[in-house]
Amino acid sequence: MPISKRPLLREERTSRHPHFHGGGKVAAGSVMSSRARVLLTTTSSDAHMWNLIFLQLLIEECGHEVRNLGICVPDDVIIGECRRWRPDLLVVSTVNGHGHLDGRRLIRKIRQDPLLRDLRVILGGKLGVHGADNVRHLEELVAAGFDAVLEAESGVDRFRALLGDLPGRPQLAPGGRGRLGAFVERAQRQGRLVVQPRMGFGRLDQMRAGLRAVRDCRARAVGTITLDSYTRVNDHDSARRALAGGADLNGFPLVVHGTRATRRMLEGLQSDDFPIQVRHGSALPYEIFRHVVEAGVDATEGGPVSYCLPYSRVRLKEAVAEWARCCTLLAEAADAGHVVHLETFGGCMLGQLCPPGLLVALSVLEGMFFRQYGVRSISLSYAQQTNTEQDVSAIAALRRLADEWLPDVDRHIVVYTYMGVYPRTPVGAFRLLEQSVYLAQAGGAQRLIVKTAAEAHRIPTIGENVEALEFADAVAAYGDAADHGRVEQETELIYAEARRLIEATLALSDDVGSALVRAFERGLLDVPYCLHADNANRSRAAIDHLGRLRWAAAGSMPVEVSAPRDGAAPVTSGRLLEWLSFNERRFDRELPGGVRMEVTA
């Protein structure tokens, strides 16, 4: 006879961690979907498999998403997967007669874990070795902490009824997406492109003045606090000494200033009409994330791959573990009512010379990593490259893949104005910025990170940042005047390539972080020219005469080498410099010397 100590819905309980949806209150502004996440497992000593196969089919037939851990699963693996995947229900099926022993040990560990103490857990099967007398274990197992205990065949109908009562996962409605997501959504409804600077200053008064100027400019703008290089690498003592000595830092030392001072700096500035984002570049950003949350900042960005391989010597496995902690922190903050939007930097690897299929794949994979750890308001990035039609196609492919792989999160697309070698003349710089506005509009992006005319020479002033924002906003107001036709065929090619990379990665593990680590170990993901120890560095990219990025060498990646014969030749220092300076020469001069130009967009 089945037994449970309380209804599966547990309306009377308020979970400390509602992102598990273990009962209790659903966040304000949420709407319900029909699918719930169910983690299915057996115990550490149980090698029976058919019960797991049957239950997976049964749960799926009830309309829920299932992750099946298989046989002989150690307690720490079950607990780790619960922490990573955040299921709505854990189902433990056991038929070897040790269920009452293994189950009691497992549930004790689950209820002792602060993140799992309110997770719904059902135990069922042959709980002992005494046939009908196994019912004697039911009461003690419920008392130990299971929400329901079902004995053998008699529990199947009850189990099906419990699945029918299981609520779907809350999905964010406008009120639950946080300030930045809601701000971007409102701008999109009004036909406005949101623009944002890359701006950071060391002193509190400088940073506040910069944010005030951005808020007051004639553009639909988001504020930015870019952190300094010492904070990026967690060298807070050096940042503190630099401030004390009156030195100019290249960004804002958030951790040194602390949360109280940062909160005071944001008072009267940050609002529903002016969200603010912290940009940091750190592979190990837990302290930064903690200060972001405690200071009440609206958004941050980065990713376990995109801020590890290009910007650090940290091993990828360590970065993945740190970013898992960071995402968990943001999920817990959202439960408490503070939604921190998280933007992946995966669409910008080394800034240039990375073909769009890999950029799109990494952006989606990092978004899936964020989602796995409970972050539900995200943006996917793409950095402008060297051919506008190819870039428009890439953004279209990114949007399509996001619809497929991230259908249940609040999300938008953000474009970065070219992150490589920048034009040196003001005219060239503004021409490139203008092209990035057209790219964002044609690609259907909702937000654009701009750059200024000073980028090639020094850190821009507040006035130069405002000038770039207002210029981009004015260009966007005129609409997309460029011809972006003939992109459908290239969209299909980039989509197919990115999908192959995503699927090859996810085939390595159900855990996105583990899959990313293994994919780089095997060279299935390989960023061209990147020197990080965890990157194979066997792939190569080239720029053809039209400015399109092509694969010149694939390494072990499932991509097609498509560079022309001269592009596949060994890379010399001269050729590399020619490619790196492609946009600088293109926009500073109408006809760059030595390069045939056919601008098609």
Side-chain angles (χ1 to χ4, degrees):
M1 179 176 181
I3 187 169
S4 61
K5 65 178 177 181
R6 50 189 176 270
L8 191 62
L9 297 182
R10 291 194 288 176
E11 293 92 348
E12 75 281 4
R13 299 185 65 191
T14 300
S15 172
R16 296 185 186 180
H17 302 280
H19 55 270
F20 281 106
H21 312 300
K25 297 178 180 178
V26 173
S30 298
V31 294
M32 301 304 297
S33 69
S34 60
R35 283 170 64 85
R37 285 184 178 182
V38 180
L39 185 63
L40 175 62
T41 186
T42 189
T43 58
S44 59
S45 69
D46 199 327
H48 292 83
M49 188 177 295
W50 283 114
N51 53 315
L52 299 174
I53 297 170
F54 165 77
L55 286 172
Q56 178 173 346
L57 292 172
L58 178 62
I59 297 166
E60 289 174 342
E61 288 164 5
C62 290
H64 301 303
E65 181 181 0
V66 185
R67 181 169 291 183
N68 192 336
L69 298 185
I71 63 172
C72 299
V73 188
D75 294 354
D76 60 346
V77 172
I78 297 171
I79 290 171
E81 194 63 25
C82 287
R83 293 176 67 93
R84 283 189 294 270
W85 196 49
R86 302 179 180 277
D88 301 286
L89 173 66
L90 172 63
V91 176
V92 183
S93 174
T94 174
V95 295
N96 71 345
H98 288 181
H100 68 291
L101 300 172
D102 293 341
R104 189 183 301 109
R105 182 190 67 243
L106 173 63
I107 197 64
R108 184 183 306 116
K109 294 178 181 178
I110 289 173
R111 297 308 179 209
Q112 288 173 349
D113 190 308
L115 287 179
L116 305 182
R117 62 178 53 148
D118 290 302
L119 172 64
R120 297 182 182 90
V121 186
I122 294 177
L123 175 68
K126 296 181 179 178
L127 304 176
V129 296
H130 297 290
D133 288 340
N134 288 336
V135 295
R136 65 184 180 180
H137 299 301
L138 300 183
E139 291 282 358
E140 63 186 44
L141 289 166
V142 168
F146 285 100
D147 292 272
V149 181
L150 313 175
E151 166 60 21
E153 292 81 2
S154 63
V156 173
D157 290 339
R158 173 61 178 151
F159 179 62
R160 187 182 283 109
L162 292 173
L163 289 174
D165 290 338
L166 188 64
R169 297 182 69 81
Q171 296 185 9
L172 288 171
R177 56 169 48 110
R179 272 182 176 157
L180 192 141
F183 178 81
V184 170
E185 195 272 337
R186 289 197 305 275
Q188 184 179 19
R189 288 202 311 265
Q190 297 165 2
R192 298 287 298 276
L193 176 67
V194 173
V195 292
Q196 182 178 349
R198 299 167 63 247
M199 182 178 72
F201 302 101
R203 299 201 317 267
L204 288 160
D205 60 334
Q206 288 177 306
M207 193 69 251
R208 182 172 173 84
L211 290 170
R212 183 189 298 112
V214 171
R215 183 198 63 182
D216 295 340
C217 76
R218 296 186 299 272
R220 188 78 164 176
V222 167
T224 301
I225 301 172
T226 299
L227 304 191
D228 67 289
S229 295
Y230 289 132
T231 301
R232 170 186 291 181
V233 296
N234 291 301
D235 184 3
H236 307 303
D237 288 340
S238 292
R240 188 175 290 106
R241 286 194 296 269
L243 277 183
D248 290 325
L249 292 172
N250 62 357
F252 184 77
L254 172 66
V255 175
V256 170
H257 283 310
T259 56
R260 288 186 180 180
T262 303
R263 276 187 176 274
R264 287 195 298 271
M265 181 188 74
L266 297 177
E267 284 179 3
L269 292 176
Q270 185 174 250
S271 69
D272 290 346
D273 293 321
F274 186 59
I276 293 174
Q277 181 188 48
V278 164
R279 305 186 71 86
H280 57 88
S282 178
L284 300 174
Y286 186 81
E287 275 301 299
I288 293 170
F289 273 56
R290 186 174 66 81
H291 280 71
V292 164
V293 171
E294 292 179 2
V297 182
D298 296 317
T300 188
E301 45 81 62
V305 173
S306 57
Y307 271 0
C308 176
L309 298 190
Y311 295 130
S312 81
R313 302 181 68 84
V314 173
R315 299 312 295 257
L316 181 58
K317 188 174 183 180
E318 182 182 359
V320 165
E322 177 95 346
W323 276 85
R325 293 178 65 214
C326 292
C327 291
T328 298
L329 181 66
L330 297 194
E332 292 169 353
D335 294 342
H338 177 201
V339 176
V340 179
H341 180 93
L342 186 55
E343 167 193 323
T344 166
F345 201 72
C348 181
M349 299 299 293
L350 297 183
Q352 56 190 123
L353 281 183
C354 187
L358 181 56
L359 295 178
V360 169
L362 288 173
S363 197
V364 172
L365 285 165
E366 286 197 331
M368 294 177 69
F369 179 90
F370 298 163
R371 175 192 180 276
Q372 175 180 302
Y373 285 94
V375 179
R376 286 295 184 270
S377 183
I378 69 173
S379 46
L380 306 176
S381 64
Y382 182 80
Q384 179 186 19
Q385 299 297 315
T386 47
N387 180 279
T388 302
E389 284 186 359
Q390 187 179 47
D391 287 341
V392 171
S393 301
I395 297 172
L398 176 58
R399 293 173 61 193
R400 182 174 165 188
L401 288 163
D403 288 341
E404 296 174 3
W405 293 96
L406 294 163
D408 58 347
V409 296
D410 166 56
R411 56 183 160 78
H412 66 267
I413 304 297
V414 55
V415 167
Y416 303 149
T417 299
Y418 189 59
M419 299 286 284
V421 178
Y422 215 66
R424 302 184 65 80
T425 67
V427 171
F430 280 110
R431 287 181 63 212
L432 182 52
L433 175 56
E434 178 183 41
Q435 199 72 19
S436 73
V437 175
Y438 290 151
L439 166 62
Q441 290 184 306
Q446 292 82 29
R447 183 161 54 99
L448 174 69
I449 309 294
V450 310
K451 295 182 77 172
T452 74
E455 295 293 334
H457 308 284
R458 54 176 168 75
I459 293 177
T461 65
I462 294 174
E464 287 163 339
N465 274 293
V466 169
E467 182 182 34
L469 291 170
E470 294 183 340
F471 175 82
D473 183 74
V475 171
Y478 282 101
D480 183 2
D483 176 12
H484 296 296
R486 305 186 302 279
V487 301
E488 289 187 9
Q489 183 178 1
E490 191 148 20
T491 297
E492 289 299 321
L493 293 174
I494 296 172
Y495 167 84
E497 179 175 288
R499 188 176 181 87
R500 287 196 303 273
L501 291 167
I502 292 169
E503 290 178 341
T505 300
L506 297 178
L508 300 177
S509 175
D510 288 336
D511 176 78
V512 181
S514 298
L516 285 166
V517 171
R518 294 173 188 174
F520 278 100
E521 286 175 348
R522 301 181 188 189
L524 295 174
L525 296 175
D526 184 357
V527 179
Y529 307 103
C530 179
L531 300 178
H532 193 281
D534 290 324
N535 187 63
N537 198 18
R538 290 191 288 114
S539 69
R540 287 293 179 266
I543 298 178
D544 68 14
H545 66 286
L546 296 175
R548 281 179 163 82
L549 280 160
R550 305 296 190 193
W551 288 111
S556 299
M557 290 191 296
V559 300
E560 180 180 351
V561 173
S562 59
R565 184 172 302 175
D566 62 338
V571 178
T572 65
S573 60
R575 285 174 66 81
L576 180 64
L577 186 61
E578 179 182 297
W579 292 336
L580 291 175
S581 61
F582 187 92
N583 269 348
E584 177 195 13
R585 292 178 292 115
R586 174 188 175 191
F587 288 95
D588 275 341
R589 290 180 288 178
E590 290 291 335
L591 293 174
V595 178
R596 176 181 167 219
M597 279 299 301
E598 297 180 15
V599 180
T600 59

